[in-house]
Amino acid sequence: MQELVYLNGWIGSFEDSLISVNDRGYNFGDGIYEVIRVYNGVPFAVADHLERLENSAAAIEMSLPWSKTQLAMFAEDLLVQSGIREAMIYIQISRGTAHRDHHFAPQIKPNLLITVRQVPDIAPAMYTDGVKIITQPEFRWQLCHIKSISLLSSVLAKNRAAKAGAAEAVFVMDDGTVTECSASNIFIYSNNTLLTHPVNNRILNGITRKYVLQAARSLGINAREETFNVTDLLAANEVFFTGSVAEVVPVIKVDDHIIGSGVPGPVVRQIHTGFTTLRNSGV
Ligand code: PDD
């Protein structure tokens, strides 16, 4: 088993991979990305990830020289070569290499990076005991639907969470609306209803979010894509966040406020099990 890098057709180790300091991803954060979870050698929801990648490309006025089929093939080949069964595939496409100038030439050729790595260890206690999150003012831009590699605000928010001994930071707008977390979507369960922010420019259209909603609905849970505010968040019976790597994570504390009875509730557990069944059935 070996963690591997694909860079514009070259394949090798992380240590040996080289890219120009004029890469616009490096200079401007001018690029897009995807993170795909691989379970037992099979990438999960590849079609969804590649569709979102194409949407992100279109949103930043980047035309991709590769089809979704080609991208899937490059990633699959790298995965097979790595021999890793529980993996994370990272795909990054930067605008390309050019002398530093904010504006970009239309003919610039994108740089394609794909990596295959082992999934990081996740402590089982995260699921059995739940985690703490902190609130942060929503200081990101208005294009959160783009999976952009310009992640400075997420980096700052997540780092503040880590310093506070928390697993995530959740963004709250000036009017109190809760959008999402620094690298995950957030859900609340109250009054027999599951709520998560609707898909628009304020959140990333999470793929785990999509399948969690599907799993919840097939369990007969009333799941709605509607905004909720920080008061609703603190008063919720259950809170959890979702993402491709950690899947479904119960939240038991927001800042200094205990959620529900301070332990992961039955609904989050039921939903996580439902999600696992759904992804094992192959999407
Ligand atoms: N983060 N919201 C944001 C801002 C994210 O960065 C992510 C994913 C999600 C969840 O999306 P999905 O379920 O498709 O993974 C929501 C990835 C994993 C990352 O940046 O590493």
Side-chain angles (χ1 to χ4, degrees):
M1 283 200 310
Q2 194 198 352
E3 298 195 324
L4 283 178
V5 174
Y6 167 106
L7 191 53
N8 294 328
W10 174 93
I11 292 176
S13 68
F14 277 83
E15 294 71 30
D16 294 334
S17 52
L18 291 171
I19 184 121
S20 167
V21 291
N22 273 329
D23 173 62
R24 290 182 61 95
Y26 183 62
N27 282 325
F28 295 109
D30 184 359
I32 52 175
Y33 76 106
E34 280 297 324
V35 177
I36 305 173
R37 176 73 155 90
V38 177
Y39 297 98
N40 194 23
V42 183
F44 174 64
V46 179
D48 293 285
H49 282 282
L50 294 179
E51 189 185 330
R52 190 171 64 186
L53 188 66
E54 278 197 342
N55 291 341
S56 295
I60 68 160
E61 298 163 42
M62 181 196 278
S63 49
L64 296 180
W66 312 278
S67 66
K68 286 188 283 198
T69 312
Q70 279 174 309
L71 292 170
M73 216 176 62
F74 297 151
E76 181 67 32
D77 284 353
L78 195 70
L79 177 66
V80 171
Q81 279 195 51
S82 76
I84 302 174
R85 308 287 298 170
E86 297 301 321
M88 246 166 49
I89 299 174
Y90 176 77
I91 304 177
Q92 172 179 309
I93 305 180
S94 79
R95 177 100 45 200
T97 306
H99 282 289
R100 190 178 180 281
D101 184 350
H102 286 67
H103 115 278
F104 52 89
Q107 72 277 12
I108 188 167
K109 201 168 141 280
N111 286 320
L112 173 61
L113 163 72
I114 307 176
T115 67
V116 173
R117 278 184 292 184
Q118 203 96 41
V119 168
D121 281 337
I122 298 174
M126 195 155 104
Y127 304 106
T128 52
D129 301 352
V131 299
K132 172 187 169 176
I133 65 174
I134 59 164
T135 54
Q136 283 286 288
E138 177 64 279
F139 49 63
R140 301 178 303 166
W141 63 346
Q142 302 202 13
L143 301 174
C144 295
H145 60 296
I146 302 173
K147 202 154 172 62
S148 159
I149 59 170
S150 307
L151 286 172
L152 192 52
S153 19
S154 305
V155 165
L156 288 175
K158 190 69 165 260
N159 204 53
R160 286 174 192 166
K163 281 200 281 191
E168 254 294 15
V170 63
F171 291 115
V172 180
M173 289 171 48
D174 286 347
D175 68 356
T177 303
V178 172
T179 52
E180 62 176 339
C181 298
S182 73
S184 49
N185 295 110
I186 192 158
F187 289 72
I188 63 170
Y189 184 77
S190 291
N191 308 318
N192 300 316
T193 305
L194 188 66
L195 289 181
T196 194
H197 194 287
V199 170
N200 62 17
N201 63 316
R202 291 291 179 184
I203 65 158
L204 184 77
N205 186 358
I207 288 156
T208 320
R209 172 192 181 282
K210 169 182 163 178
Y211 289 106
V212 157
L213 282 170
Q214 198 172 306
R217 284 172 183 146
S218 66
L219 287 164
I221 293 168
N222 178 25
R224 301 214 304 249
E225 297 169 71
E226 276 172 27
T227 54
F228 57 89
N229 63 32
V230 69
T231 312
D232 303 322
L233 172 70
L234 300 182
N237 296 130
E238 298 191 32
V239 175
F240 61 88
F241 62 80
T242 63
S244 289
V245 180
E247 300 185 340
V248 179
V249 181
V251 172
I252 51 149
K253 206 172 177 192
V254 179
D255 298 326
D256 289 327
H257 188 96
I258 304 281
I259 299 299
S261 47
V263 292
V267 175
V268 60
R269 250 187 256 135
Q270 216 190 339
I271 287 176
H272 198 173
T273 307
F275 172 79
T276 310
T277 310
L278 203 145
R279 63 139 163 96
N280 284 344
S281 70
V283 171

